[in-house]
Amino acid sequence: MKKSVLTGIVLIALAAWAGYWYGNRHGPRPPAVAARSTADTLAIARQGAGIAADSLPSGAGSGKVITVTAGHSIQDAVLKAQPGDTVQIMPGRYSETVYIDKDGIALVGVIRGGDWPTLDGEGKRNDAVLYSGNGIRVENLKIVNYKGNAIMGQAGNNFVIRHNWIANAGVYGIFPEFAQNGLIEYNTLTGIEDAAIYVGMSDNIEVAHNEVHGNVAGIEAENSRHVIIEHNLAYDNAGGILTFITPGLPIKTAFDVVIRGNFVVANNHKNFGAPGSIVSGVPSGTGIIVMAADDVIIENNLIRDNKNAGIIVSDHKSFANITPDPESDPNPDRVQVLRNLFADNGTDPIKEIKALMLAALTREGPDLVAVGGGSGSCVADRDAIKWLGIGSWSSCSRTDTHDISTYLLDKPAPPRVLSAEDRGKLVYSSVCAGCHAYNVRMIGPPTQILQVLYAGNPQGIADYIAHPVKKRDDFPPMPPQAHLSSDLRLAVAKYMLSLK
Amino acid sequence: MRLRLPAWIYAALICAPAQAGSWRLSEQCPPSFEKRDSRCFLHSNYQQYASLTGAGVGGLKTGLPPLRDGFTPQQIDLGRYLFFDPVLSANGRLACVSCHVPSQGFSDHRVHSIGIDGRAVRRNAPSLWNAGFLKRFFWDGRAHSLEEQAQGPLYNAAEMGNRPEALLKTLNGIPAYRELFAQAFPAAGSAARAPIAAAQVYQALAAFEASLISLNSRYDFYAQGVADALTPHELEGLNIFRSFVARCAECHTPPLFTNQQIAVIGMPEPRGQPFDPGAGPPSGEPLLRGGFKVPSLRNAALTAPYGHGGQFATLRETVAFYTGGRGHAVPAGEHLQLHWHIWEPRLSPTELDRLVDFIGALTDQSFLPTPPAALPSGLPLPPESKRDGESS
C-alpha cells in the first residue's frame, strides 16, 4: 500500500518532469523561423563570409508565418501562402509532393532536439518539392525515399536551398533547372542514383559547403554558365564533381565554372546509375570530370584516393553513351588546372586509361588525364603531378581565383509579376481579340460597339462574359469565360473599355 | 506517275473565274498580333519573361523562342488563301488544308496522310499550331525554315505532286492571284506587275503558318498565375509531367512543350510498316538513327493518332509507351542509342490517366483562322476547311 503510494508520487513527479521536458522540446513555442530571408541569404553569400548578418536589412518577418504540424498538409499551407510568407514545418513525418508555383515562398523546417520534419516519399511518390516561382527557399528538411528528386526547380530564379538532409531520394537530390541566381549550401546527400546536386541548364549558381557521398555523382553542373562549386566534401561516389556539356539539350553551352577548395576523396563507389543514363558512363573511381565544358578552373582542391583518376578532361567522342549534337561544341577548351593537392589517385584505372599509360610508358595512374580534342588548356606545376595526355597544355598564367569572389548576381533576376492593367491586356489580346476586333466585325461584335453598350460599366462586362447569354441572331454564342477569376474578368473589362 | 490535269479541265473546274480587282487582302493582323509599321508582331504575355540563353525553354514563366513574325497582314492573308486552295496541287484536288485540318488541330485523323494519288504518304501529319517558333521541320528535322519545308509537300509526288514551273504557270494564269500577290508584295509588283515568283508563294505560306498561335490554353492561365485554371486532376498531371520520374518536361519543355531537339526514343511503327530511320539519314549521324524531333504537345488532344507513324490511336496508348520499358518497341536487329531520359519510370495506370488529363489542358484553338469565303482559283473549298464551332 505504502509502496504503491510512493510509486504513485514518483510517477506523478516523473510525469510532470517529463511533461515539462517534452513541452520544452516539442511544445508550442514562438515561431522558430530562420531569421534570414532568401534575399539576405543570397546577399550574404555574394559578399562572402565575414559579413555580419545583422548588418543587412532583414527580410524575415516581411510576411506571415504559417505553421504546419505533422498530420497536416504542407501543400495546403503553400496554397494559402502569399509571396513573402514562410511555411514553417514542425518536426514529424509528412508524405506528400509539395509544389510551389508562386513567388517568394520559404519552406523552412524546425528541428527540435534532433527531430527533423521529414518528407517521406515511401518509395512511391515522385518528388518531394517542385517549384517554379522566383525567390523560393527550402531549408531544414529531411527528405527520404522519393523516386524522382528531393528538390527540383524549373525556371525558379533567386533561390536558396540550404541545410537539408537528403537520403535515397531518387534520381537527383537537389536539381535546379533553367534557373538563374541561386545558392545551394550546407546540405548533406546520399544514395542518389544520378547526381546528388545537379545544376542543369542554369546560370549564376553557387554550390558550397555540402557533403555528398554514396551517390553515382556527387555534384554536377551541366550545360550551365557561371557556376562556383566550392568547399564541398565529395567522397565515396562513383564520380565526385562533374561539369559537362551534354549534347542534345536545348541549352548548348557550359563555361566559367570554378571548382575550388573541395575535398574530393575516395570516390570509388560502384556506379549504380540507370542503364543508358549519361552518368552510367562515369568510370567509378574518378574525382573530377570535365566533359566538353569551357573555361573551367580547378583550384585548391584536395583530390585523394580516387582509384581511376584524379581529374579527367574529356571530349564527347571519348565518353560513353554520348550521341553527338552538331549544335554543341564537343571539345573542352581553356581548362585551367591550378594548384591542387593530389595523392594516391589512379591506383586502379580503367582499361582506356591503362592503354594511355602503356603508350606513355608509365605505370603510374594519373592525377590528371586529358583525352580527345580541346585547346587552350593549362596546368600549374605539372612536374608535381602524375599526368597523361596534357603534353600540349601550357603552364597557367593565372595563379589563383581571388578575383572571382562570386557569380551570384548583384541585382536578382527580375520579378515576373503582372500589374492589374497588364493582366487585363493579357487576357484581352490573348483571348478576346481572337473574336473581337476594334472596329470590324470578326466572330463577335466590334469592341467599339461594346464600349458604347457598356460605357462606365466594366462590372457589367465582367458578369456577362462569365455566363454569356445569346443576344444577337446574326452572331454565334460567345463561349463562357468563367474559368477566369472575377478579378481577371474585371481587369479585362476595364481594358476593353479603355481601348482606343 | 504524277497526275497532271490539262488546262481545259482547270477551266471547267473553275466555276466562277474570279474578277481581278474584286479581291482585297486584309489590312488587319490576325489575333495575338499587333500592327506596327504595317507589319504584324506577336503580342503574348510570355514575351515579358526571359529565357536562359534565349532558348525559349524552361518552366511556367519562361519566354518563347524567337517567332518568325514581322510579315504584313496582306502576306499573311495571301498565305491563308494559298493554304486552303487545292490549285497548288498537280490535279487541283489537294490543298495544304486537306491534311492539316483546322478543326483537327491542323493535323488529320489518319495514321498516314493521303496524297493526291490516293495513296498514303510515309508519315503522320503534324499539327501546325505555333510552327513559326520552330527551327526545324518535319519529323526528322530535315528542313530548316517554313519556306524550305513548303517545297516538300508541294513537289513531293506522293503529296501534292506539283512542279515549280507548273505551279507558277497555274498561279500566273489566275488574274485574282496576280492581283493578290501584287497587294502582298507591292515592291515586286509595281506598274508592270511582275509575274508571281516561287519564293513569294513560300513566303506567303510561311507568313500564314507563323500566324497560327495557340498560347491561351487553361494551362497558360495557370502558368500566368491564375491558380484555379486547372482541375485537380490536371494539376496532378502537371506534377507528374514535370517530375523526374516521368521526365516529360525534359523533352516536351514549356512554354512550347517541345525542346526542339532530335531524340531517339524508340517509338514503334504501325504494324507491318518498315522501320523508319528518322533523322539518321538526313543528319548523316549514325547515332541519330531512329531519332525524331520532339513534337509540341499543344493541342495534342485534337490530333490523334500519334507518333511519326501514327501508330498510337489514343493519347493514353502514347503515354503508356513511356512506361513499357526502355527499348521495348525497338525491332529486333536494330541497335539504337536511346535517349538517356528514356528509362523505367513505372508509371501507374492512374498516373497515365492524369498525364492524359494534363495534356488535355494544353488545348487552345481560340484563334482558328477564318476559312476564305471563296478561293481565288474559283475551285471549291476542300471539305476539311470548315471551322469547328462556327455556325454558318
Side-chain angles (χ1 to χ4, degrees):
Chain A
M1 181 78 186
K2 210 172 169 197
K3 193 177 165 203
S4 70
V5 168
L6 198 69
T7 319
I9 290 170
V10 170
L11 276 178
I12 287 165
L14 210 66
W17 177 82
Y20 168 78
W21 177 86
Y22 186 85
N24 243 357
R25 289 170 58 108
H26 298 275
R29 281 201 159 197
V33 164
R36 232 176 250 165
S37 73
T38 311
D40 290 353
T41 312
L42 283 168
I44 292 167
R46 220 189 100 68
Q47 292 173 36
I51 295 280
D54 47 20
S55 73
L56 286 156
S58 175
S62 69
K64 290 195 306 296
V65 173
I66 305 176
T67 303
V68 187
T69 53
H72 295 90
S73 143
I74 303 171
Q75 185 63 45
D76 286 351
V78 168
L79 292 176
K80 271 186 230 127
Q82 297 296 312
D85 289 354
T86 298
V87 174
Q88 172 176 265
I89 307 167
M90 301 308 286
R93 221 171 124 269
Y94 301 83
S95 290
E96 55 183 312
T97 290
V98 180
Y99 62 94
I100 313 175
D101 289 330
K102 49 178 117 176
D103 296 335
I105 305 294
L107 222 54
V108 182
V110 173
I111 306 163
R112 280 273 178 272
D115 284 349
W116 287 62
T118 303
L119 275 76
D120 187 345
E122 299 174 317
K124 59 183 189 207
R125 283 185 187 75
N126 291 340
D127 310 272
V129 180
L130 288 169
Y131 66 86
S132 72
N134 277 355
I136 301 298
R137 177 159 52 108
V138 182
E139 187 162 349
N140 293 354
L141 297 181
K142 182 170 180 186
I143 301 178
V144 297
N145 300 330
Y146 282 82
K147 295 194 296 179
N149 307 283
I151 303 168
M152 178 184 198
Q154 272 153 340
N157 305 320
N158 312 324
F159 68 86
V160 170
I161 299 172
R162 67 190 304 278
H163 206 278
N164 299 290
W165 175 5
I166 296 171
N168 306 321
V171 185
Y172 298 117
I174 294 173
F175 176 19
E177 190 181 31
F178 303 117
Q180 189 169 33
N181 202 42
L183 175 66
I184 301 170
E185 63 171 12
Y186 298 105
N187 302 283
T188 176
L189 302 99
T190 191
I192 305 292
E193 67 182 70
D194 200 303
I197 296 176
Y198 172 39
V199 176
M201 293 187 265
S202 293
D203 285 278
N204 306 97
I205 308 291
E206 291 192 8
V207 181
H209 302 286
N210 300 282
E211 181 204 41
V212 287
H213 64 100
N215 309 291
V216 174
I219 299 172
E220 177 175 357
E222 184 185 66
N223 297 37
S224 293
R225 291 138 303 279
H226 296 106
V227 178
I228 296 183
I229 300 172
E230 62 183 0
H231 310 307
N232 300 283
L233 171 59
Y235 67 96
D236 191 29
N237 307 287
I241 298 178
L242 322 176
T243 182
F244 286 1
I245 290 181
T246 295
L249 292 175
I251 291 180
K252 305 285 181 190
T253 56
F255 53 81
D256 292 343
V257 178
V258 177
I259 301 173
R260 65 183 173 197
N262 300 285
F263 296 85
V264 185
V265 180
N267 288 289
N268 301 322
H269 200 291
K270 177 173 179 296
N271 187 325
F272 56 100
S277 65
I278 306 255
V279 287
S280 69
V282 167
S284 164
T286 312
I288 295 177
I289 305 180
V290 178
M291 178 177 73
D294 298 334
D295 298 293
V296 178
I297 306 178
I298 303 177
E299 182 210 7
N300 265 340
N301 300 284
L302 189 150
I303 305 171
R304 185 167 66 75
D305 274 338
N306 301 290
K307 70 175 180 353
N308 180 42
I311 301 175
I312 296 180
V313 178
S314 169
D315 66 1
H316 283 158
K317 273 204 305 292
S318 314
F319 210 87
N321 295 348
I322 296 289
T323 303
D325 175 352
E327 291 171 19
S328 61
D329 174 8
N331 296 320
D333 299 314
R334 298 174 306 282
V335 175
Q336 305 177 47
V337 178
L338 309 183
R339 289 294 303 273
N340 294 276
L341 191 155
F342 291 98
D344 289 334
N345 297 300
T347 50
D348 181 16
I350 56 170
K351 63 175 190 306
E352 289 82 354
I353 291 182
K354 281 201 182 114
L356 292 175
M357 288 158 58
L358 201 64
L361 304 175
T362 175
R363 301 178 65 182
E364 299 281 350
D367 291 321
L368 170 61
V369 52
V371 286
S375 65
S377 294
C378 71
V379 58
D381 201 5
R382 92 181 62 207
D383 295 341
I385 65 175
K386 303 178 290 174
W387 55 262
L388 288 168
I390 61 163
S392 66
W393 288 27
S394 62
S395 288
C396 294
S397 51
R398 173 187 276 281
T399 54
D400 57 53
T401 58
H402 289 161
D403 55 321
I404 306 171
S405 60
T406 184
Y407 278 140
L408 294 174
L409 298 175
D410 56 352
K411 276 207 218 81
R416 299 179 295 198
V417 283
L418 297 179
S419 67
E421 199 209 333
D422 280 348
R423 283 159 69 92
K425 186 177 180 190
L426 154 74
V427 178
Y428 183 83
S429 51
S430 60
V431 182
C432 322
C435 299
H436 297 284
Y438 185 65
N439 53 10
V440 294
R441 178 183 168 147
M442 285 172 73
I443 298 163
T447 296
Q448 219 171 16
I449 289 178
L450 304 184
Q451 287 177 340
V452 177
L453 217 54
Y454 284 91
N457 181 19
Q459 190 60 49
I461 296 184
D463 295 341
Y464 175 79
I465 64 178
H467 308 285
V469 289
K470 185 97 181 87
K471 295 232 170 151
R472 297 167 184 78
D473 288 339
D474 53 340
F475 281 89
M478 165 163 160
Q481 308 292 318
H483 59 279
L484 305 176
S485 67
S486 51
D487 289 0
L488 215 51
R489 292 199 308 268
L490 190 61
V492 67
K494 285 185 179 150
Y495 184 81
M496 190 176 212
L497 291 177
S498 75
L499 205 67
K500 287 189 191 73
Chain B
M1 272 289 81
R2 245 169 262 165
L3 218 76
R4 187 156 303 111
L5 297 184
W8 66 267
I9 297 195
Y10 264 128
L13 280 173
I14 296 175
C15 28
Q19 286 298 305
S22 64
W23 291 86
R24 282 225 67 80
L25 292 173
S26 171
E27 287 167 20
Q28 295 246 315
C29 291
S32 282
F33 286 82
E34 278 177 340
K35 197 162 153 186
R36 294 202 298 269
D37 302 333
S38 34
R39 289 169 188 278
C40 303
F41 294 92
L42 178 69
H43 172 87
S44 158
N45 198 43
Y46 283 107
Q47 284 164 314
Q48 60 191 323
Y49 308 132
S51 81
L52 295 184
T53 75
V57 281
L60 300 188
K61 289 184 179 171
T62 297
L64 297 157
L67 173 69
R68 284 288 306 278
D69 55 3
F71 295 106
T72 64
Q74 290 83 357
Q75 289 164 347
I76 296 171
D77 201 29
L78 173 60
R80 182 179 64 116
Y81 283 113
L82 294 170
F83 189 86
F84 283 84
D85 201 334
V87 80
L88 265 51
S89 62
N91 65 4
R93 296 226 180 103
L94 203 63
C96 309
V97 77
S98 310
C99 301
H100 300 287
V101 185
S103 62
Q104 300 171 14
F106 283 95
S107 171
D108 57 18
H109 284 169
R110 300 195 152 97
V111 171
H112 289 183
S113 300
I114 306 288
I116 50 163
D117 57 4
R119 275 191 299 138
V121 305
R122 190 158 63 124
R123 291 180 181 144
N124 177 262
S127 168
L128 301 186
W129 282 114
N130 301 325
F133 292 105
L134 303 184
K135 54 185 186 189
R136 325 186 148 89
F137 300 89
F138 294 120
W139 283 100
D140 52 17
R142 66 187 183 274
H144 293 87
S145 68
L146 283 166
E147 287 86 339
E148 184 191 345
Q149 188 284 328
Q151 299 168 54
L154 285 170
Y155 308 133
N156 183 328
E159 295 186 36
M160 298 165 89
N162 220 328
R163 282 193 324 212
E165 324 77 66
L167 173 64
L168 289 182
K169 192 153 171 255
T170 310
L171 289 178
N172 276 307
I174 301 171
Y177 269 124
R178 294 294 289 268
E179 171 63 38
L180 292 179
F181 274 81
Q183 287 172 30
F185 300 99
S190 61
R193 187 151 297 177
I196 295 167
Q200 295 171 336
V201 177
Y202 312 146
Q203 192 182 330
L205 283 168
F208 171 70
E209 292 172 281
S211 78
L212 302 174
I213 301 295
S214 173
L215 294 170
N216 300 306
S217 65
R218 284 183 302 105
Y219 159 82
D220 294 292
F221 283 97
Y222 181 80
Q224 314 301 326
V226 181
D228 52 5
L230 294 179
T231 66
H233 274 178
E234 289 162 352
L235 255 175
E236 248 179 80
L238 166 61
N239 286 336
I240 299 164
F241 189 87
R242 61 182 161 175
S243 92
F244 216 73
V245 175
R247 305 188 187 184
C248 318
E250 298 302 310
C251 294
H252 301 283
T253 315
L256 289 183
F257 290 83
T258 167
N259 67 3
Q260 300 205 45
Q261 305 300 302
I262 304 283
V264 184
I265 70 170
M267 263 194 192
E269 309 302 327
R271 193 171 276 284
Q273 296 286 325
F275 177 76
D276 185 337
S283 70
E285 174 52 65
L287 291 174
L288 287 179
R289 183 173 172 80
F292 292 93
K293 187 181 73 173
V294 176
S296 169
L297 299 185
R298 286 183 176 272
N299 292 311
L302 305 172
T303 64
Y306 300 99
H308 67 271
Q311 57 274 44
F312 294 121
T314 63
L315 270 180
R316 183 63 162 65
E317 286 166 56
T318 318
V319 170
F321 159 82
Y322 290 96
T323 204
R326 181 176 156 87
H328 69 278
V330 176
E334 279 292 343
H335 297 285
L336 303 183
Q337 178 140 315
L338 292 172
H339 196 280
W340 66 95
H341 284 320
I342 298 303
W343 72 312
E344 315 283 346
R346 300 198 185 90
L347 301 170
S348 70
T350 320
E351 285 183 310
L352 296 177
D353 290 342
R354 295 297 85 85
L355 283 170
V356 173
D357 292 340
F358 173 66
I359 294 172
L362 299 175
T363 303
D364 163 40
Q365 294 218 100
S366 47
F367 295 158
L368 273 176
T370 314
L375 293 174
S377 64
L379 291 172
L381 268 172
E384 295 84 2
S385 310
K386 249 184 82 99
R387 200 181 137 143
D388 217 40
E390 195 187 6
S391 69
S392 46

